[in-house]
Amino acid sequence: MDVKGRGRSMSSTIQIDEDMDLRRGPWTVDEDFTLINYIANHGEGRWNSLARCAGLKRTGKSCRLRWLNYLRPDVRRGNITLQEQLLILELHSRWGNRWSKIAQHLPGRTDNEIKNYWRTRVQKHAKQLKCDVNSKQFKDTMRYLWMPRLVERIQAATVAPANTSINATTTTTATTGACSIGSSTSTKTTTTNNNNSNNYHINNNNLDVQTGQMVLPHGVAIGHDFRGAQVTPSYNTPENSSTAGSSDSFGAQVSPVSDLTDYYNIPVNNNPSLECFQASQAGYQDSLTSPSGYFNNGLDFQAMEQSNQWLDGGDTSDNLWNVDDMWFLPQQLNNNNNNNI
DNA sequence: AAGGAGAGCAACCGCCGCTAG
DNA sequence: GCTAGCGGCGGTTGCTCTCCT
């Protein structure tokens, strides 16, 4: 097992609390092995007594954290897919820094990893845009620019055969037709790379190419009508699932997505989709506010241009934006806003 | 090739809520 | 009602790696 990671090394700065005889710092292979073995035999939970009984000189908290974030067999690390990125953006726009709640909708992902992802990728770009990550300005940028682009990329990757680069206007961006996807690696990021999860895969059927709507595990539909920058979220819930398949002009169609277990060999608890629905009922109205105005004052699009690799997981060869988009999209969003008045 | 800066991420810290005594 | 113990969560730290100059 690779326990080296890229963070703290195994050899550095392991501290021992003289009074409590507790170890701190990076875990050793032996400690990992001990913890795994103990949990395999006795199960998890009751972390303090677990730590003692297993003979680990660690706090219960430390054991719990190590297990949940690293050793658990179904945990996945690295290679956050486009679909996952989209879901993180969507859920964060709704719930804020509720990492554990967000993580519940990304099977195999830990709250810690999502939190790190947000801090290292998203917050970095907010900083480069010279706006606060919690500002409406930045949220609108995500909602109206980056999320639609993510959908486009997912669509492109879905439609295009592997190793085929796309250099054409996408069919689902009728009102944002200037968006080109000059991608030589657009299919790469959708091939989920699983270090230790044998059964995980993103089903490309989750994407409704006709509507441009993402339907994700747990029945959460990313229901934005990205073609018009009008946000119309919808969710596959017990209340509305009977109407799945019907649709409004664009965004309301909800694919009858099966339970998570169709996609992941991971236990699913409760019914997060209901929670999702309730959250949307409570707090989504303000997201309908037009972004116009923001794009003409304040946002540093040059900064965006210089730093647009974040949605590609740092792959700078596959930039999300090109210069045309920088100028076209704000204009387009303004137009849509005017039309919607 | 060297070194500095920034990115990435594992692990820790402190707070909060729950529960049993 | 009070308190201690515990689990869970979000924020933060600090170490290593990678990239850039």
Side-chain angles (χ1 to χ4, degrees), chain A residues 62-327:
Chain A
S62 182
C63 293
R64 174 183 167 272
L65 207 63
R66 183 64 178 173
W67 173 253
L68 291 178
N69 287 342
Y70 203 88
L71 299 176
R72 209 176 40 165
D74 57 354
V75 72
R76 297 187 306 124
R77 287 178 292 117
N79 277 348
I80 293 181
T81 66
L82 293 173
Q83 286 91 340
E84 287 174 315
Q85 291 172 26
L86 181 62
L87 189 52
I88 290 171
L89 295 183
E90 172 76 11
L91 296 181
H92 187 275
S93 71
R94 200 165 301 153
W95 295 327
N97 296 355
R98 302 287 305 279
W99 305 119
S100 62
K101 194 170 182 177
I102 293 172
Q104 288 173 7
H105 294 271
L106 289 113
R109 299 294 184 186
T110 67
D111 55 352
N112 209 36
E113 182 168 26
I114 294 170
K115 179 170 57 182
N116 281 333
Y117 168 77
W118 186 266
R119 291 188 61 82
T120 57
R121 317 295 216 284
V122 181
Q123 286 197 348
K124 177 181 73 178
H125 288 270
K127 187 179 176 182
Q128 287 169 335
L129 290 172
K130 297 182 176 69
C131 62
D132 187 87
V133 73
N134 294 316
S135 67
K136 189 172 189 308
Q137 199 173 343
F138 186 72
K139 288 176 180 175
D140 280 340
T141 306
M142 285 194 303
R143 185 172 294 119
Y144 296 105
L145 295 178
W146 292 341
M147 291 172 69
R149 178 52 58 92
L150 258 180
V151 171
E152 283 181 15
R153 289 174 51 79
I154 294 167
Q155 288 175 333
T158 303
V159 173
N163 301 322
T164 301
S165 61
I166 301 170
N167 285 300
T169 302
T170 58
T171 56
T172 56
T173 54
T175 61
T176 57
C179 306
S180 64
I181 301 177
S183 170
S184 60
T185 58
S186 61
T187 57
K188 183 183 66 176
T189 50
T190 60
T191 305
T192 53
N193 183 4
N194 310 316
N195 291 336
N196 50 24
S197 175
N198 297 329
N199 300 300
Y200 176 85
H201 67 278
I202 288 288
N203 188 337
N204 278 335
N205 291 332
N206 289 2
L207 177 68
D208 189 325
V209 179
Q210 295 294 315
T211 64
Q213 190 177 52
M214 287 294 300
V215 181
L216 293 155
H218 286 303
V220 179
I222 306 299
H224 297 208
D225 181 355
F226 290 121
R227 282 167 293 191
Q230 173 84 19
V231 180
T232 55
S234 61
Y235 305 93
N236 191 7
T237 70
E239 289 83 352
N240 66 13
S241 60
S242 63
T243 60
S246 64
S247 64
D248 62 6
S249 60
F250 279 126
Q253 183 167 351
V254 180
S255 301
V257 175
S258 62
D259 184 87
L260 246 185
T261 51
D262 289 351
Y263 299 93
Y264 317 103
N265 188 21
I266 295 170
V268 180
N269 51 353
N270 301 329
N271 186 357
S273 60
L274 177 59
E275 193 175 33
C276 213
F277 173 76
Q278 290 165 338
S280 74
Q281 299 299 301
Y284 220 88
Q285 280 303 314
D286 61 344
S287 72
L288 295 170
T289 307
S290 165
S292 64
Y294 292 118
F295 300 111
N296 292 329
N297 52 60
L299 273 188
D300 186 350
F301 282 96
Q302 285 187 336
M304 289 173 67
E305 183 183 345
Q306 290 164 1
S307 57
N308 50 31
Q309 75 275 17
W310 68 287
L311 289 172
D312 302 304
D315 186 353
T316 54
S317 67
D318 190 14
N319 285 347
L320 190 64
W321 299 99
N322 59 34
V323 177
D324 291 342
D325 295 341
M326 291 302 109
W327 296 104

Side-chain angles (χ1 to χ4, degrees), chain A residues 3-22:
Chain A
V3 293
K4 189 176 175 185
R6 295 186 55 218
R8 300 159 188 248
S9 73
M10 293 298 111
S11 60
S12 68
T13 66
I14 293 181
Q15 301 173 23
I16 299 178
D17 188 313
E18 297 290 345
D19 297 330
M20 304 294 292
D21 195 25
L22 289 175

